[in-house]
Amino acid sequence: MNQHHIEVTVSVDNFKSNISHIRDRVQPAQLCVVMKANAYGHGLQQLAPTAVVAGAEYIGICTNPEATVIRELGLDVKLLRLRMGLPEELQESIDSLNIEEQVGTIEVAKYLSEAGVKRGKKIPVHINIDTGMGRSGFFFNQTEELKQVCGLPGINIVGVMTHFASSDGKDLGFTHYQIEQFEKARQVLKNYVSHNVLTHTHNSAATVRISNESNQLVRVGAACYGVRTSQDFENPPELKPVMSVKTRVAQVRKVPKGKTIGYGSLFTTQRDSLIASLPVGFGEGYPRSLFNKGIVLIKGHRCPVVGRVSLNITTVDITDIPEPVEWGDEVVLVGTQGKEEITFEELADKFASVHTEINLMAGFMNQVSYV
């Protein structure tokens, strides 16, 4: 049965076009399209074939169920796990999923090597270098540990990688510092790994903003979906948003001056007002923290969210819309209407988050239409 109160739409054409643009931008480097967390809420099963058709040599995942989706689709693409694996995950991957794993500790490297020796086939791994992200990986000066990893018999080192902590910020100074640290690690490793090992540092923001001359692979997530993780830089105009979210007006009420609205009475009308109730709330993925902060589009006008966002109801002030607003009228939560646009980035900035949080909630909590 179809939902009538919310419409989440994913443009497969925009997704394909975005990847094709990035593919052309980074050649001859290979492209890893990051599709973890159900393709950031956009639908892994629905979009993975498009990613491969558009030119992805790798798909980035985090979990074994995500890898299983790709394998069951029968796609000719390599899989890269974008975090450290747990023992049970690694064993399952070795047995049936053929995921290229990250190695950031001697313990994990030895575990994979022993498994590779037992099965008589080396396991492909990427050495993770911590250049400043601070979450995982070897430091570049752990020379003996890195040499030890390179000498293990049951693994095949196919990549050396790092992850940038602030390549989407105004100041790229720390990113350039990370690049310098990564180059030091490459110098340590150059005599112990194959000359054709894939080096990769660039995420979406770095791919858009910084030359990629020294890398053989880029890992791009946000840009493939037409969004960015910060408003401190601009994506090229060729990158189009992939997801839009719409609802409809459930009720319009005349509310006198001085009345409070919503749980906690967090908004008081300062004038006689027209208030529209929308049949969505944080139960549909519209963030609760957008109370008195959010913006929606109705009849091409920007209308503020007023009062607390409830589980399934959000209220907005439509007093300043010159034309009548009626029961059932379209409301854009994210997307375009007339000459106005609301982006995931704009909403995320209003509650100090990132687009991914809203993408995920909208995609996970609702039916999604693919066009």
Side-chain angles (χ1 to χ4, degrees):
M1 183 175 293
N2 291 331
Q3 293 182 144
H4 299 287
H5 69 297
I6 188 167
E7 178 183 325
V8 181
T9 303
V10 168
S11 171
V12 179
D13 287 343
N14 283 1
F15 183 65
K16 183 178 180 181
S17 176
N18 291 345
I19 295 174
S20 296
H21 173 76
I22 296 165
R23 167 77 278 160
D24 293 342
R25 187 186 188 100
V26 303
Q27 285 183 338
Q30 295 185 45
L31 173 61
C32 174
V33 174
V34 180
M35 305 192 76
K36 59 186 179 180
N38 194 32
Y40 291 59
H42 292 74
L44 174 61
Q45 185 171 16
Q46 293 81 3
L47 293 184
T50 301
V52 175
V53 169
E57 288 91 357
Y58 277 83
I59 288 178
I61 53 89
C62 278
T63 70
N64 287 7
E66 291 166 354
T68 300
V69 169
I70 304 298
R71 294 304 180 217
E72 290 181 349
L73 287 169
L75 299 176
D76 183 18
V77 66
K78 297 177 181 179
L79 298 183
L80 171 61
R81 195 189 302 275
L82 294 174
R83 62 160 169 78
M84 298 299 145
L86 296 170
E88 297 83 0
E89 289 178 315
L90 296 180
Q91 189 58 58
E92 188 175 62
S93 169
I94 294 164
D95 291 341
S96 60
L97 296 175
N98 193 26
I99 301 171
E100 296 185 10
E101 302 286 353
Q102 284 190 36
V103 169
T105 67
I106 289 292
E107 181 181 21
V108 171
K110 287 181 176 179
Y111 181 94
L112 290 170
S113 179
E114 290 171 3
V117 170
K118 286 180 181 178
R119 76 168 187 169
K121 185 178 180 181
K122 292 187 176 183
I123 296 168
V125 302
H126 297 245
I127 296 178
N128 182 12
I129 306 296
D130 182 6
T131 60
M133 188 66 166
R135 300 187 307 192
S136 58
F138 295 99
F139 294 111
F140 82 91
N141 58 359
Q142 289 184 264
T143 305
E144 292 307 314
E145 290 89 341
L146 289 169
K147 289 180 181 179
Q148 188 176 352
V149 170
C150 294
L152 292 173
I155 58 174
N156 177 27
I157 299 169
V158 297
V160 180
M161 61 179 289
T162 195
H163 192 50
F164 292 142
S166 56
S167 58
D168 59 355
K170 289 182 180 180
D171 184 356
L172 289 173
F174 190 70
T175 302
H176 289 296
Y177 165 79
Q178 287 191 260
I179 293 172
E180 293 173 2
Q181 296 295 96
F182 187 69
E183 287 302 315
K184 292 178 181 177
R186 289 177 65 180
Q187 291 302 312
V188 170
L189 289 167
K190 68 179 183 180
N191 294 324
Y192 303 96
V193 297
S194 169
H195 70 280
N196 59 357
V197 66
L198 296 173
T199 56
H200 46 113
T201 63
H202 282 36
N203 54 12
S204 288
T207 298
V208 168
R209 304 176 75 189
I210 303 172
S211 169
N212 184 53
E213 294 175 357
S214 61
N215 286 285
Q216 291 79 47
L217 176 70
V218 297
R219 309 181 307 270
V220 182
C224 294
Y225 307 96
V227 291
R228 60 197 194 279
T229 49
S230 152
Q231 296 207 66
D232 289 331
F233 72 100
E234 294 292 334
N235 274 338
E238 292 86 356
L239 298 179
K240 305 295 184 183
V242 171
M243 181 185 285
S244 64
V245 186
K246 299 177 182 179
T247 185
R248 300 166 71 191
V249 173
Q251 185 178 18
V252 177
R253 303 175 66 231
K254 293 181 179 179
V255 179
K257 177 181 177 180
K259 294 291 185 179
T260 60
I261 295 175
Y263 287 117
S265 302
L266 299 178
F267 181 84
T268 302
T269 54
Q270 301 301 305
R271 57 181 176 174
D272 292 343
S273 303
L274 280 178
I275 303 297
S277 294
L278 313 180
V280 298
F282 59 86
E284 285 76 21
Y286 194 74
R288 185 171 183 266
S289 50
L290 284 176
F291 70 93
N292 293 344
K293 299 175 186 176
I295 297 289
V296 306
L297 299 179
I298 302 177
K299 294 187 178 297
H301 298 274
R302 296 170 70 85
C303 304
V305 171
V306 293
R308 178 74 76 188
V309 175
S310 304
L311 181 62
N312 300 112
I313 299 174
T314 298
T315 44
V316 298
D317 189 338
I318 61 171
T319 309
D320 294 328
I321 297 180
E323 56 266 58
V325 175
E326 299 179 343
W327 176 44
D329 280 348
E330 179 187 83
V331 181
V332 173
L333 304 178
V334 183
T336 59
Q337 189 184 64
K339 297 181 179 179
E340 291 288 347
E341 179 180 22
I342 295 175
T343 65
F344 285 102
E345 295 94 330
E346 178 184 359
L347 290 186
D349 274 1
K350 290 181 181 298
F351 67 108
S353 185
V354 291
H355 70 89
T356 315
E357 182 173 346
I358 312 176
N359 282 139
L360 287 173
M361 290 190 292
F364 280 137
M365 296 181 180
N366 304 291
Q367 295 173 3
V368 179
S369 299
Y370 295 87
V371 298

